[in-house]
Amino acid sequence: MALGRIREGVHTENAEINMVPLIDVMLVLLVIFIITAPMVTQSVNLSLPKTSDIAVPVEQKQKPQIIEITKDGEILLNKTAVAMETLHAELNTIKNNSAEQEPIIQLNIDESVPYDTVAKTLIEIKRVGLSKIGFTTTLQE
């Protein structure tokens, strides 16, 4: 506590509380709360599948249909050259021949292929009604 004024030999104490340190501490706590609150409340609920102790590999019953787009822009369906205009008909034939399961499409695309060609290929796959699409990449050293 601070001592009051000295008047005519009488000493009185000042009964005021110094609020500046209290305000400083409260502002620091407020800043910490503002920074940490969003980290605590943001979460994504995932329902992960339960597995047994012994994992059994899933046998793939069907062979994927491979669509390759070379760096020259050539489209190969199962290593056979196909024009963009006939890709829809070829994929439709593949879909109709595998009536029991939807065919799996595997895309092998060269990194230098323009995105426009890739987008058109994906549109043709979607127009046929195929949804099982996988992208494969090749690591270059």
Side-chain angles (χ1 to χ4, degrees):
M1 282 195 236
L3 295 176
R5 295 182 192 157
I6 301 175
R7 289 188 217 167
E8 303 170 3
V10 177
H11 298 283
T12 60
E13 292 185 8
N14 189 359
E16 294 178 12
I17 298 175
N18 191 359
M19 296 294 291
V20 175
L22 180 63
I23 292 171
D24 288 345
V25 169
M26 293 305 289
L27 288 175
V28 168
L29 289 175
L30 180 65
V31 168
I32 291 172
F33 177 75
I34 289 172
I35 292 172
T36 59
M39 290 183 226
V40 173
T41 58
Q42 290 181 353
S43 64
V44 176
N45 292 331
L46 295 176
S47 58
L48 298 174
K50 306 287 185 223
T51 60
S52 64
D53 292 337
I54 303 171
V56 178
V58 177
E59 292 183 25
Q60 193 172 5
K61 294 181 181 178
Q62 66 182 32
K63 183 178 167 187
Q65 304 298 320
I66 300 172
I67 298 177
E68 292 183 63
I69 304 177
T70 63
K71 58 183 164 187
D72 302 328
E74 184 180 18
I75 300 172
L76 304 173
L77 177 63
N78 295 326
K79 299 190 180 187
T80 306
V82 177
M84 182 64 78
E85 295 78 24
T86 60
L87 182 62
H88 180 81
E90 294 288 332
L91 290 173
N92 209 9
T93 303
I94 290 171
K95 181 181 177 185
N96 292 336
N97 288 342
S98 59
E100 60 187 48
Q101 282 187 332
E102 180 181 347
I104 299 170
I105 304 297
Q106 179 179 333
L107 289 174
N108 298 336
I109 303 167
D110 191 82
E111 62 184 16
S112 63
V113 173
Y115 182 73
D116 183 44
T117 307
V118 177
K120 287 178 183 177
T121 306
L122 288 172
I123 288 170
E124 290 301 320
I125 294 170
K126 183 171 171 91
R127 280 183 50 210
V128 173
L130 301 174
S131 61
K132 294 182 178 180
I133 304 170
F135 292 88
T136 59
T137 59
T138 304
L139 297 176
Q140 297 180 0
E141 297 179 21

